Amino acid sequence: MSTTPLLFDPTAPHSDRTPRRHPERGPELSLSRRRLLQGSAVLGLVAGASVLDLPSLPPMERALADGGVDLDILYIGAHPDDEAWTLAAFGQWNEFADQKAGVITVTRGEGGGNAVGLEEGPELGLIRETEERTAVGYAGIEHVFNLDAVDFFYTLSAPLTYDVWDGAEILSRVIRVVRATRPDVIVTMNPSAVEGNHGNHQQAAMFAVEAYHLAGREDVFPEHFEEGLAPFSPSRILRSGSNGSSGTGPDAVSQGYEPEVASDVVFGAWDGTDSARHDKRWSAVRDDSVHAYRTQGWHVNPPSPTDPEQIPATWFTLIDSRTPLADPTSSDTAALEGASLPIEGGLPLGTRLEVTADRFAVLPDGEVEVTVRIAAPGSALPGVQVALEGPDGWSFGRAQGTGTIPAHQERTSTFTVSVPSGAATGEHVLLRARVTSRRGDGENVLPLRTAGPVEAGLVERPEIAAFLEWTEELGMQRLDALVPTRRALGSGRAESFEIIARNHSEHDQDAELVLELPEGITADPPELLLEAVPAGGTASAEVRIENTDPDLPTANRAPNGGVYPLTGVYPLTATTTADGITATLTQGLHLVPRLVAARSDGVEVDAQRGDAEYPGDPIDIGTLWEGEEVTPEDASGSTWVTYDDENLFVFVQVTDDTLGALLPEEDNKQRFRTDSIEIMIDPRGVSDDTSSTFILGVLPGTAAEDGIGGPVAGRDHDNRQGPIDEVAPGVRIAASISDPYEGYVIETRIPFAELPDGVDPTNIGFNVVVYDSDTDDQTGQSRIGWSTFPGIQADPYRWGVLELPDLPAGEEAPVQPRIPDSAARSVESPASILQAAADGTGLGGAPALPGGSLGLDQARQDGELISVRLRSQEAGTLRVYLWDGTTILGELEAGEITAGTQQLEVPLDEDAADGATLRVVASLEGESGTAAAAAAL
């Protein structure tokens, strides 16, 4: 398994990419060729002459020439629906500023739930694609690029996501789409490894950041240029969403956003703007979009507020910009101004303005070199002057004049910035580069962090360490701001942790570290002397942390320690002093519950609990970790655990006031949609993600003609998913549902031999959670359990600890994970084929075959057959569908063809919907790429 997602060489041949350090930005690509292509195409139409030989151009450039794919904004997400909460902004930008947006969706979400049917896998993926195209269509978005990665299961792990998706290949596809569509602005999800961030979302956003930095380089994926593409550098990248606070109502944007991180720049667009196109507010249009995602149960989401004062804005956080920024409070389009829209009174659109520094962490009484690069657009910038501004007490030097910058040329100004000796450490600060000229003014920003010469604390978990290495590789340490260092400790236990000290200075340093912990948790030693920490390097030590008061509350039952509410963080304060300067890191411990089980023999799995079967006290599984608040009568429960030499036995008793939807026996998946439980086991207690764990999901009852049927079980989001009789046949399940309904019990036997590794009986990761639904629409309302944190089902490091005394340790023998590989593919999606036929892009982000590789014409209906002429210049796998915009009405079995012309007959299995246009669509998958064609009857 890889540990650092980006660390490969994208300039190497595809099969020989190895880690590469410190990527740098390459030269920018002028927009003149795109403008020339478009201008020439228009001239050809007007004059009735072919100025450009369009058929001979590669498909991507043909699309640019005819204006088919020229985006202003490109959203990059992981699943259909990830873009949903941006659509009010995208829609009004399209309606009022003529901004054209597109969407990259890395997967089709076929691994998600289905609240309205039994479809799953690729079939569900195609349904979700249709939902997405419907939803984004409300915002005027016509271009959706699905990259065909598999939506395998819910995970919080970006490294696992990278591995399963074949990260280098998906990054190549993302960059290919960026180069083909040339967006000025990329919008993405949160790329930071903050707690609770979906691993798929994080990795998709990391790809977006990488594409922003690398798509303009000539040495990155050079094979794209053989397809007719060229390097292209987007002007700006934004994160949808923000951390902080704001008001609501029409003045929300003008009043500004108060970010949690002082150096964040946050733009907004008010959702309550009236839409003439839709004859309602954009907040209500977004509701329509959200309700289109029916498989996710979103059609039951409540509507947005109708009181204008209560309608919020959609917020976007700046990740980076190569162009001047507008005042975020100036307008609803400020997020785009300077990139795809002009700034009133600002520098001409197309001006590049970049600010960089030789370091991110700056020291009190230290210096940092800041470079400002200004590139003129298609006309000169006369009388240019550059000045730096920042916090009070900092010294920036005088403004610098660069004179006139000729068209398409760049000038550089370098400033030596002095940090005052009294600057507080651990603060995020923002420098501003202000540029004036006789053609307008502009500014851009540079986030930095003040640091001590040495900062020390608990070493990060591997996935966090990998992310921090990635941000350093890209020079994007600003993304680290809210990434916490959290470690877990079992209640009443002691554990040794590594301490890491980082020297930010240019000299070796001796440092003193003091660790402070709440009462009931101790560190041994509490103070350490770290000698000769190397300049720019690290040193390590070890500390033993013990929970000396086992009565301290565990999981999110613990006080928050002033960090985040209801997340159960016990603060660990690491204070380091070096060279007379003190720096403090606030880290944290999750105290997780612990159970020492008692052995029992002769347990019968019959949903009946005898006192002799389950000795010892039960554990409480009634604590809320996600969803709506519950009372003990609404949802609560207890669990008993015992074992023998071969098996673990678990007895779960749930109190519940309302029975949720009963799923049919064949719908034995995604059980969180209704009343169910999950039992989670990490055999050795060391898993970074759930791919090396065992997770048993159980429905206590199913739908049956004569009432309530028996239980069903399976494994989800773990080492081997599927129905229990297929993936863990040794497991036994029994269940009983009370009548009248007051809840249910589930009893199970789990053989140790079914676990994905030998058990460490002193340190098993263990958890039991309950999913509570009080409706019949296949949507859950509340989630309760034992070790309870947000997203706990995918976060094994925060599961509880189970000890099985006197059980011999199992041999360490990890089972290779079996990850679902059921991705829906663009070559099998009529909607994607139809789009690719129109815009010339490769299906699934793959290379596009040369223009004219595939064509359809002379489509006509003869009874229940549709005949069409196919012309192919390439050999490959052909797929043909009849499509009315929502439904496949007929198809031919996929088959191999050679170059040439042939007549096809496709059976029409059902009639098109009233008013729909029936089309024949075809995809060709060859050795070097894909092609698409379509013909309407």
Side-chain angles (χ1 to χ4, degrees):
M1 181 178 295
S2 67
T3 57
T4 306
L6 172 65
L7 303 185
F8 71 96
D9 184 359
T11 67
H14 215 75
S15 61
D16 189 32
R17 287 181 175 144
T18 54
R20 182 176 54 82
R21 310 277 315 168
H22 305 297
E24 298 176 358
R25 294 177 183 169
E28 305 291 343
L29 174 70
S30 167
L31 300 182
S32 58
R33 184 164 189 215
R34 176 172 64 176
R35 302 306 181 200
L36 172 63
L37 287 169
Q38 292 179 335
S40 299
V42 172
L43 178 59
L45 291 173
V46 171
S50 179
V51 177
L52 288 176
D53 183 11
L54 296 183
S56 69
L57 289 174
M60 298 293 194
E61 293 211 352
R62 252 193 8 261
L64 293 176
D66 64 20
V69 187
D70 181 13
L71 299 179
D72 300 294
I73 307 160
L74 180 63
Y75 183 92
I76 300 177
H79 315 101
D81 73 29
D82 286 345
E83 70 288 319
W85 310 110
T86 67
L87 294 179
F90 284 10
Q92 59 183 289
W93 290 341
N94 175 259
E95 180 174 9
F96 305 120
D98 197 28
Q99 295 293 283
K100 189 174 184 179
V103 174
I104 285 179
T105 303
V106 179
T107 80
R108 283 181 172 80
E110 62 276 343
N114 185 354
V116 294
L118 298 178
E119 298 88 354
E120 58 182 320
E123 188 178 6
L124 175 59
L126 294 180
I127 293 172
R128 293 195 66 183
E129 177 186 352
T130 300
E131 290 178 343
E132 180 178 34
R133 290 180 181 275
T134 299
V136 302
Y138 285 102
I141 295 173
E142 300 174 350
H143 297 277
V144 177
F145 304 93
N146 295 101
L147 301 191
D148 295 357
V150 64
D151 181 28
F152 51 103
F153 54 66
Y154 176 66
T155 180
L156 296 180
S157 174
L160 177 65
T161 300
Y162 183 90
D163 287 342
V164 172
W165 282 356
D166 186 4
E169 172 61 27
I170 295 300
L171 177 59
S172 171
R173 293 184 178 209
V174 171
I175 289 179
R176 179 181 283 112
V177 174
V178 169
R179 286 169 169 168
T181 61
R182 304 187 175 213
D184 298 303
V185 179
I186 289 176
V187 180
T188 191
M189 309 186 81
N190 190 348
S192 296
V194 295
E195 283 195 350
N197 197 4
H198 194 310
N200 291 178
H201 295 171
Q202 183 192 345
Q203 186 56 64
M206 292 170 74
F207 286 142
V209 173
E210 292 164 0
Y212 170 82
H213 282 284
L214 301 177
R217 289 179 43 168
E218 294 181 345
D219 61 341
V220 171
F221 299 120
E223 62 268 27
H224 293 178
F225 310 139
E226 299 174 5
E227 305 163 19
L229 299 176
F232 178 78
S233 294
S235 298
R236 186 169 300 161
I237 182 168
L238 304 166
R239 167 171 75 91
S240 60
S242 51
N243 295 90
S245 59
S246 67
T248 59
D251 298 328
V253 172
S254 62
Q255 291 170 351
Y257 190 91
E258 187 67 32
E260 184 177 341
V261 178
S263 58
D264 277 354
V265 177
V266 181
F267 300 91
W270 186 52
D271 294 350
T273 304
D274 286 317
S275 170
R277 179 185 297 167
H278 295 281
D279 195 26
K280 61 177 74 173
R281 294 184 186 274
W282 268 106
S283 54
V285 179
R286 191 193 67 181
D287 290 344
D288 295 337
S289 296
V290 168
H291 293 160
Y293 302 103
R294 293 180 57 83
T295 59
Q296 304 312 292
W298 289 11
H299 56 292
V300 301
N301 282 15
S304 297
T306 55
D307 178 0
E309 294 299 327
Q310 299 301 314
I311 298 175
T314 299
W315 299 102
F316 300 88
T317 303
L318 179 70
I319 295 178
D320 194 51
S321 182
R322 296 184 170 105
T323 57
L325 299 173
D327 175 359
T329 66
S330 62
S331 75
D332 287 346
T333 56
L336 309 179
E337 292 173 16
S340 62
L341 293 172
I343 302 173
E344 185 176 355
L347 293 165
L349 189 62
T351 302
R352 290 290 172 119
L353 173 58
E354 299 185 68
V355 192
T356 58
D358 63 354
R359 59 188 304 148
F360 176 71
V362 297
L363 309 183
D365 201 27
E367 294 182 342
V368 57
E369 187 173 280
V370 176
T371 300
V372 181
R373 294 181 176 86
I374 311 166
S379 56
L381 290 177
V384 174
Q385 288 210 336
V386 186
L388 275 188
E389 299 176 1
D392 292 341
W394 291 44
S395 174
F396 302 96
R398 296 180 178 178
Q400 300 181 21
T402 65
T404 296
I405 303 178
H408 303 300
Q409 292 193 25
E410 178 185 287
R411 295 291 183 268
T412 299
S413 297
T414 302
F415 296 81
T416 299
V417 177
S418 298
V419 184
S421 59
T425 59
E427 293 191 348
H428 292 270
V429 300
L430 199 63
L431 306 190
R432 295 182 183 274
R434 299 192 184 274
V435 175
T436 60
S437 78
R438 291 199 293 274
R439 294 193 61 201
D441 305 334
E443 68 174 53
N444 204 344
V445 297
L446 175 68
L448 300 173
R449 186 178 72 87
T450 58
V454 177
E455 294 178 319
L458 297 181
V459 72
E460 297 85 4
R461 293 183 298 110
E463 293 194 357
I464 301 299
F467 174 76
L468 299 179
E469 185 178 357
W470 177 81
T471 61
E472 184 178 5
E473 290 272 336
L474 286 179
M476 296 296 292
Q477 295 96 323
R478 66 196 70 175
L479 298 175
D480 301 346
L482 294 177
V483 176
T485 296
R486 302 275 188 269
R487 304 302 297 269
L489 179 66
S491 177
R493 288 168 60 106
E495 185 173 340
S496 294
F497 292 92
E498 182 183 356
I499 295 290
I500 187 168
R502 295 180 173 89
N503 186 348
H504 301 295
S505 77
E506 298 176 355
H507 309 284
D508 292 358
Q509 298 276 0
D510 293 337
E512 296 178 353
L513 171 64
V514 177
L515 299 175
E516 297 180 59
L517 287 156
E519 187 175 349
I521 304 177
T522 62
D524 182 22
E527 300 181 7
L528 298 90
L529 176 62
L530 303 163
E531 297 183 300
V533 183
T538 64
S540 63
E542 189 173 279
V543 64
R544 182 175 175 82
I545 297 177
E546 182 176 3
N547 170 215
T548 56
D549 180 2
D551 293 329
L552 285 180
T554 60
N556 65 352
R557 295 172 285 271
N560 68 5
V563 185
Y564 295 107
L566 299 178
T567 57
V569 178
Y570 285 94
L572 182 153
T573 303
T575 303
T576 310
T577 302
D579 201 19
I581 298 174
T582 297
T584 298
L585 298 179
T586 301
Q587 302 182 324
L589 288 174
H590 293 301
L591 196 61
V592 301
R594 171 191 180 206
L595 172 64
V596 181
R599 178 187 287 269
S600 178
D601 293 318
V603 176
E604 183 177 353
V605 180
D606 57 2
Q608 301 289 327
R609 180 179 59 84
D611 290 338
E613 287 186 316
Y614 289 89
D617 295 329
I619 57 176
D620 182 357
I621 58 171
T623 301
L624 184 74
W625 54 278
E626 279 182 7
E628 301 173 6
E629 292 287 344
V630 293
T631 64
E633 296 75 23
D634 178 26
S636 58
S638 300
T639 294
W640 289 260
V641 179
T642 188
Y643 64 100
D644 60 24
D645 286 339
E646 305 294 335
N647 307 284
L648 186 71
F649 298 92
V650 183
F651 188 96
V652 182
Q653 181 173 317
V654 175
T655 298
D656 183 23
D657 64 347
T658 304
L659 182 62
L662 289 170
L663 303 179
E665 185 175 339
E666 61 270 24
D667 197 10
N668 178 23
K669 60 185 184 299
Q670 306 291 345
R671 300 166 198 87
F672 57 80
R673 294 172 287 156
T674 190
D675 293 317
S676 61
I677 69 161
E678 282 186 338
I679 299 169
M680 307 170 182
I681 303 173
D682 179 4
R684 308 193 71 80
V686 295
S687 294
D688 291 325
D689 57 67
T690 62
S691 68
S692 52
T693 71
F694 177 99
I695 299 177
L696 174 65
V698 184
L699 292 170
T702 52
E705 291 184 3
D706 55 351
I708 300 178
V712 292
R715 291 174 61 180
D716 273 325
H717 57 98
D718 71 348
N719 183 262
R720 183 154 299 185
Q721 309 86 49
I724 202 65
D725 57 347
E726 297 178 11
V727 296
V731 170
R732 293 292 178 267
I733 302 288
S736 173
I737 297 177
S738 66
D739 184 15
Y741 184 75
E742 294 178 344
Y744 55 90
V745 298
I746 292 173
E747 186 174 20
T748 179
R749 182 194 74 189
I750 303 171
F752 295 125
E754 297 286 12
L755 301 181
D757 203 347
V759 298
D760 175 355
T762 68
N763 193 49
I764 298 171
F766 182 77
N767 206 9
V768 178
V769 300
V770 177
Y771 298 97
D772 179 49
S773 174
D774 293 337
T775 65
D776 60 2
D777 59 7
Q778 297 188 29
T779 60
Q781 283 74 53
S782 304
R783 299 177 176 186
I784 59 176
W786 183 46
S787 189
T788 43
F789 301 91
I792 191 61
Q793 75 271 45
D795 220 358
Y797 95 96
R798 297 191 292 183
W799 294 353
V801 178
L802 174 63
E803 298 179 19
L804 306 179
D806 302 323
L807 181 72
E811 180 181 355
E812 187 173 356
V815 175
Q816 184 71 18
R818 186 175 69 186
I819 305 295
D821 186 16
S822 56
R825 303 185 63 222
S826 295
V827 292
E828 298 169 344
S829 165
S832 290
I833 296 169
L834 184 61
Q835 176 186 306
D839 63 27
T841 53
L843 286 159
L849 291 170
S853 294
L854 187 68
L856 294 173
D857 61 14
Q858 299 181 11
R860 54 178 68 91
Q861 182 173 356
D862 182 9
E864 296 181 353
L865 289 177
I866 305 297
S867 66
V868 65
R869 185 175 68 172
L870 173 85
R871 292 172 288 104
S872 173
Q873 296 181 5
E874 301 273 347
T877 303
L878 177 72
R879 297 172 174 87
V880 181
Y881 304 93
L882 303 180
W883 176 248
D884 70 351
T886 59
T887 306
I888 296 176
L889 305 178
E891 62 184 286
L892 294 181
E893 184 176 349
E896 300 301 310
I897 64 168
T898 58
T901 300
Q902 56 182 300
Q903 198 73 21
L904 303 177
E905 290 188 338
V906 188
L908 180 63
D909 298 330
E910 56 183 292
D911 293 333
D914 290 342
T917 299
L918 181 61
R919 289 182 171 86
V920 185
V921 299
S923 68
L924 180 65
E925 190 173 16
E927 290 186 0
S928 57
T930 65
L937 270 70

